[in-house]
Amino acid sequence: MITRRHLMGTAAAATALPFLPRAARAAAHSAAPVLPAAQRFTIGDMAVTALSDGALRIGPEALQGIDAEGYARAMTDQFIEPDDFRAAVNAFLIEAGDTKMLVDAGTGGAMGPDLGRLMGNLEATGTAPEDITMILASHLHPDHVGGAVDGGSAIFPNAELAFHEAERAFWTDDAIMQQAGESNAMFFNLARSVLDVYGDRLRPFSGEGEVAPGITAMPLPGHTPGHTGFAINSGDDSLLIWADILHVAPVQLRHPEVTIGFDVDPDQAAATRADILDRVVADRMMIAGSHINFPGLGHIMQAGEGYAMIDARYPYPA
Ligand SMILES: [Zn+2]
């Protein structure tokens, strides 16, 4: 059932979407050479490579539970210019033996020229789109699966698409789409087109369970109904790719109750965030985030009333 609160969530998201880059930023980009942004980490017998798709502006107007002043204070305390904060958009390549899988696929052309860098960075790892055998979709938002399609065709011709069944149920529901209004139609259309294009290669899952050897789907609902993390276990190592548990890490680690307009169910998103933060602190589990500053891997520790992140050590070659 869709409540008014759910719809307000998606409506707020649409007005806050930072689709267009600032002119000054575009000029700065064109002046500097763009180096590959791909960082490979070893998790037991597997390799996980963080791939940058770019970054997007998320200002205080997109958040609930904090005002502009509180946002600015959190940023300034952490040496970030509040007007200039941009959240990363990361995807992750998992290599297990000869198998190559992607957790999410970036924005493609869905969100403007500041983003859509995933394919270039994937290429820098020596991986071709044809090599990818599975896309593990954390959810069906455009910054996670927009890059899986180009119009009506698949970017990854040999990949199965694994996703939580609750995502399909939500995004393909005509009544929900109608209630969400014209301003949110793009979210629904994009999700539907991805499901369409990968039609004969869809691998829906529901609940917690193994989706590939050593990779366990962990439902983390709230941001979207089927929002899911992927836990990788190999040898003594583990990594939880928790996707969109944080959108504005400098704010939401300090204030985990702060939600974002993109949350379909903000209360559930905040409760899920509180639970998983507790759990990764207790278990000392390494995490990777879709919107945490690239490469987005690290550990979480308690800090005062909230949390802080210790970035993963740079993986120097042995
Ligand atoms: Zn996202």
Side-chain angles (χ1 to χ4, degrees):
M1 194 184 112
I2 287 305
T3 64
R4 180 168 156 72
R5 191 193 53 204
H6 293 150
L7 296 178
M8 288 177 68
T10 44
T15 53
L17 265 183
F19 278 119
L20 294 174
R22 294 200 305 214
R25 194 174 291 140
H29 278 164
S30 62
V34 178
L35 304 176
Q39 189 62 68
R40 180 177 273 122
F41 295 84
T42 300
I43 308 293
D45 293 332
M46 302 193 201
V48 172
T49 303
L51 302 167
S52 176
D53 191 62
L56 55 87
R57 168 79 186 149
I58 303 181
E61 69 285 350
L63 303 179
Q64 293 86 47
I66 196 161
D67 59 13
E69 196 184 328
Y71 173 100
R73 193 181 319 119
M75 291 293 172
T76 306
D77 283 355
Q78 294 168 82
F79 306 93
I80 302 162
E81 178 58 51
D83 291 339
D84 211 35
F85 171 78
R86 291 195 297 157
V89 176
N90 304 323
F92 301 93
L93 171 68
I94 302 174
E95 292 167 277
D98 292 337
T99 307
K100 292 174 189 267
M101 292 162 276
L102 265 186
V103 174
D104 294 338
T107 60
M111 291 175 71
D114 257 14
L115 293 130
R117 297 173 187 265
L118 174 84
M119 292 307 286
N121 289 322
L122 183 65
E123 193 183 337
T125 71
T127 305
E130 300 77 42
D131 300 337
I132 302 294
T133 54
M134 188 177 277
I135 301 165
L136 302 163
S138 64
H139 59 303
L140 300 183
H141 268 165
D143 52 324
H144 297 263
V145 292
V149 294
D150 181 9
S153 57
I155 294 286
F156 303 99
N158 301 316
E160 299 181 331
L161 179 72
F163 60 94
H164 196 297
E165 183 59 55
E167 287 294 286
R168 176 160 59 185
F170 182 80
W171 298 109
T172 61
D173 188 312
D174 287 336
I176 295 174
M177 181 172 174
Q178 202 168 13
Q179 281 182 279
E182 193 56 38
S183 61
N184 289 300
M186 175 267 196
F187 288 85
F188 290 85
N189 289 332
L190 193 279
R192 289 171 182 213
S193 109
V194 170
L195 292 170
D196 225 36
V197 165
Y198 288 84
D200 55 349
R201 291 179 275 140
L202 299 181
R203 296 292 174 265
F205 56 80
S206 58
E208 189 163 331
E210 201 170 61
V211 287
I215 304 175
T216 304
M218 186 186 292
L220 298 167
H223 176 55
T224 63
H227 178 259
T228 296
F230 297 100
I232 298 165
N233 286 285
S234 180
D236 293 334
D237 294 343
S238 63
L239 172 71
L240 171 61
I241 300 176
W242 74 11
D244 283 25
I245 288 298
L246 298 171
H247 291 95
V248 181
V251 169
Q252 289 173 301
L253 283 170
R254 284 189 167 197
H255 308 288
E257 72 283 4
V258 170
T259 58
I260 190 163
F262 305 97
D263 290 333
V264 171
D265 184 338
D267 290 345
Q268 190 185 29
T272 294
R273 178 162 44 255
D275 283 351
I276 198 67
L277 282 166
D278 268 359
R279 187 161 160 190
V280 299
V281 169
D283 294 351
R284 298 175 67 83
M285 194 176 201
M286 185 180 275
I287 59 95
S290 303
H291 301 300
I292 296 173
N293 203 41
F294 183 79
L297 279 77
H299 286 91
I300 305 294
M301 61 180 283
Q302 225 134 21
E305 301 282 290
Y307 300 87
M309 179 161 163
I310 307 298
D311 292 346
R313 304 286 295 164
Y314 182 81
Y316 293 104

mmCIF file with all atom_site columns, all heavy atoms in Angstrom, residues 139 143-144 244 247 291, ligand 1:
data_model
loop_
_atom_site.group_PDB
_atom_site.id
_atom_site.type_symbol
_atom_site.label_atom_id
_atom_site.label_alt_id
_atom_site.label_comp_id
_atom_site.label_asym_id
_atom_site.label_entity_id
_atom_site.label_seq_id
_atom_site.pdbx_PDB_ins_code
_atom_site.Cartn_x
_atom_site.Cartn_y
_atom_site.Cartn_z
_atom_site.occupancy
_atom_site.B_iso_or_equiv
_atom_site.pdbx_formal_charge
_atom_site.auth_seq_id
_atom_site.auth_comp_id
_atom_site.auth_asym_id
_atom_site.auth_atom_id
_atom_site.pdbx_PDB_model_num
ATOM   1  N  N   . HIS A 1 139 ? 19.273 -1.855 -6.480  1.00 0.00 ? 139 HIS A N   1
ATOM   2  C  CA  . HIS A 1 139 ? 17.889 -1.415 -6.672  1.00 0.00 ? 139 HIS A CA  1
ATOM   3  C  C   . HIS A 1 139 ? 17.801 -0.811 -8.065  1.00 0.00 ? 139 HIS A C   1
ATOM   4  O  O   . HIS A 1 139 ? 18.818 -0.755 -8.763  1.00 0.00 ? 139 HIS A O   1
ATOM   5  C  CB  . HIS A 1 139 ? 17.426 -0.451 -5.569  1.00 0.00 ? 139 HIS A CB  1
ATOM   6  C  CG  . HIS A 1 139 ? 18.227 0.820  -5.402  1.00 0.00 ? 139 HIS A CG  1
ATOM   7  N  ND1 . HIS A 1 139 ? 19.586 0.820  -5.151  1.00 0.00 ? 139 HIS A ND1 1
ATOM   8  C  CD2 . HIS A 1 139 ? 17.861 2.132  -5.452  1.00 0.00 ? 139 HIS A CD2 1
ATOM   9  C  CE1 . HIS A 1 139 ? 20.007 2.083  -5.034  1.00 0.00 ? 139 HIS A CE1 1
ATOM   10 N  NE2 . HIS A 1 139 ? 18.999 2.889  -5.222  1.00 0.00 ? 139 HIS A NE2 1
ATOM   11 N  N   . ASP A 1 143 ? 20.646 5.907  -11.081 1.00 0.00 ? 143 ASP A N   1
ATOM   12 C  CA  . ASP A 1 143 ? 22.096 5.997  -10.843 1.00 0.00 ? 143 ASP A CA  1
ATOM   13 C  C   . ASP A 1 143 ? 22.703 4.617  -10.575 1.00 0.00 ? 143 ASP A C   1
ATOM   14 O  O   . ASP A 1 143 ? 23.920 4.512  -10.373 1.00 0.00 ? 143 ASP A O   1
ATOM   15 C  CB  . ASP A 1 143 ? 22.423 6.962  -9.686  1.00 0.00 ? 143 ASP A CB  1
ATOM   16 C  CG  . ASP A 1 143 ? 21.656 6.658  -8.422  1.00 0.00 ? 143 ASP A CG  1
ATOM   17 O  OD1 . ASP A 1 143 ? 20.480 6.253  -8.505  1.00 0.00 ? 143 ASP A OD1 1
ATOM   18 O  OD2 . ASP A 1 143 ? 22.230 6.827  -7.324  1.00 0.00 ? 143 ASP A OD2 1
ATOM   19 N  N   . HIS A 1 144 ? 21.874 3.576  -10.603 1.00 0.00 ? 144 HIS A N   1
ATOM   20 C  CA  . HIS A 1 144 ? 22.374 2.215  -10.359 1.00 0.00 ? 144 HIS A CA  1
ATOM   21 C  C   . HIS A 1 144 ? 22.199 1.286  -11.557 1.00 0.00 ? 144 HIS A C   1
ATOM   22 O  O   . HIS A 1 144 ? 23.003 0.394  -11.753 1.00 0.00 ? 144 HIS A O   1
ATOM   23 C  CB  . HIS A 1 144 ? 21.706 1.626  -9.116  1.00 0.00 ? 144 HIS A CB  1
ATOM   24 C  CG  . HIS A 1 144 ? 22.042 2.412  -7.885  1.00 0.00 ? 144 HIS A CG  1
ATOM   25 N  ND1 . HIS A 1 144 ? 23.046 2.038  -7.019  1.00 0.00 ? 144 HIS A ND1 1
ATOM   26 C  CD2 . HIS A 1 144 ? 21.555 3.591  -7.418  1.00 0.00 ? 144 HIS A CD2 1
ATOM   27 C  CE1 . HIS A 1 144 ? 23.148 2.952  -6.059  1.00 0.00 ? 144 HIS A CE1 1
ATOM   28 N  NE2 . HIS A 1 144 ? 22.263 3.909  -6.274  1.00 0.00 ? 144 HIS A NE2 1
ATOM   29 N  N   . ASP A 1 244 ? 23.016 2.067  -0.960  1.00 0.00 ? 244 ASP A N   1
ATOM   30 C  CA  . ASP A 1 244 ? 22.559 3.417  -0.615  1.00 0.00 ? 244 ASP A CA  1
ATOM   31 C  C   . ASP A 1 244 ? 22.174 3.572  0.858   1.00 0.00 ? 244 ASP A C   1
ATOM   32 O  O   . ASP A 1 244 ? 21.242 4.304  1.179   1.00 0.00 ? 244 ASP A O   1
ATOM   33 C  CB  . ASP A 1 244 ? 21.370 3.804  -1.505  1.00 0.00 ? 244 ASP A CB  1
ATOM   34 C  CG  . ASP A 1 244 ? 21.824 4.198  -2.897  1.00 0.00 ? 244 ASP A CG  1
ATOM   35 O  OD1 . ASP A 1 244 ? 22.900 3.738  -3.310  1.00 0.00 ? 244 ASP A OD1 1
ATOM   36 O  OD2 . ASP A 1 244 ? 21.102 4.951  -3.581  1.00 0.00 ? 244 ASP A OD2 1
ATOM   37 N  N   . HIS A 1 247 ? 23.758 8.433  1.626   1.00 0.00 ? 247 HIS A N   1
ATOM   38 C  CA  . HIS A 1 247 ? 23.841 9.278  0.424   1.00 0.00 ? 247 HIS A CA  1
ATOM   39 C  C   . HIS A 1 247 ? 24.767 10.466 0.651   1.00 0.00 ? 247 HIS A C   1
ATOM   40 O  O   . HIS A 1 247 ? 25.476 10.890 -0.246  1.00 0.00 ? 247 HIS A O   1
ATOM   41 C  CB  . HIS A 1 247 ? 22.452 9.768  0.009   1.00 0.00 ? 247 HIS A CB  1
ATOM   42 C  CG  . HIS A 1 247 ? 21.573 8.670  -0.504  1.00 0.00 ? 247 HIS A CG  1
ATOM   43 N  ND1 . HIS A 1 247 ? 20.683 8.003  0.303   1.00 0.00 ? 247 HIS A ND1 1
ATOM   44 C  CD2 . HIS A 1 247 ? 21.478 8.100  -1.726  1.00 0.00 ? 247 HIS A CD2 1
ATOM   45 C  CE1 . HIS A 1 247 ? 20.070 7.067  -0.423  1.00 0.00 ? 247 HIS A CE1 1
ATOM   46 N  NE2 . HIS A 1 247 ? 20.530 7.108  -1.643  1.00 0.00 ? 247 HIS A NE2 1
ATOM   47 N  N   . HIS A 1 291 ? 27.592 5.734  -2.635  1.00 0.00 ? 291 HIS A N   1
ATOM   48 C  CA  . HIS A 1 291 ? 27.688 7.199  -2.653  1.00 0.00 ? 291 HIS A CA  1
ATOM   49 C  C   . HIS A 1 291 ? 28.710 7.733  -1.649  1.00 0.00 ? 291 HIS A C   1
ATOM   50 O  O   . HIS A 1 291 ? 28.696 8.905  -1.304  1.00 0.00 ? 291 HIS A O   1
ATOM   51 C  CB  . HIS A 1 291 ? 26.300 7.802  -2.421  1.00 0.00 ? 291 HIS A CB  1
ATOM   52 C  CG  . HIS A 1 291 ? 25.308 7.358  -3.459  1.00 0.00 ? 291 HIS A CG  1
ATOM   53 N  ND1 . HIS A 1 291 ? 25.491 7.610  -4.798  1.00 0.00 ? 291 HIS A ND1 1
ATOM   54 C  CD2 . HIS A 1 291 ? 24.160 6.648  -3.368  1.00 0.00 ? 291 HIS A CD2 1
ATOM   55 C  CE1 . HIS A 1 291 ? 24.495 7.078  -5.487  1.00 0.00 ? 291 HIS A CE1 1
ATOM   56 N  NE2 . HIS A 1 291 ? 23.669 6.486  -4.642  1.00 0.00 ? 291 HIS A NE2 1
HETATM 57 ZN ZN  . ZN  B 2 .   ? 21.843 5.744  -5.355  1.00 0.00 ? 1   ZN  B ZN  1
#
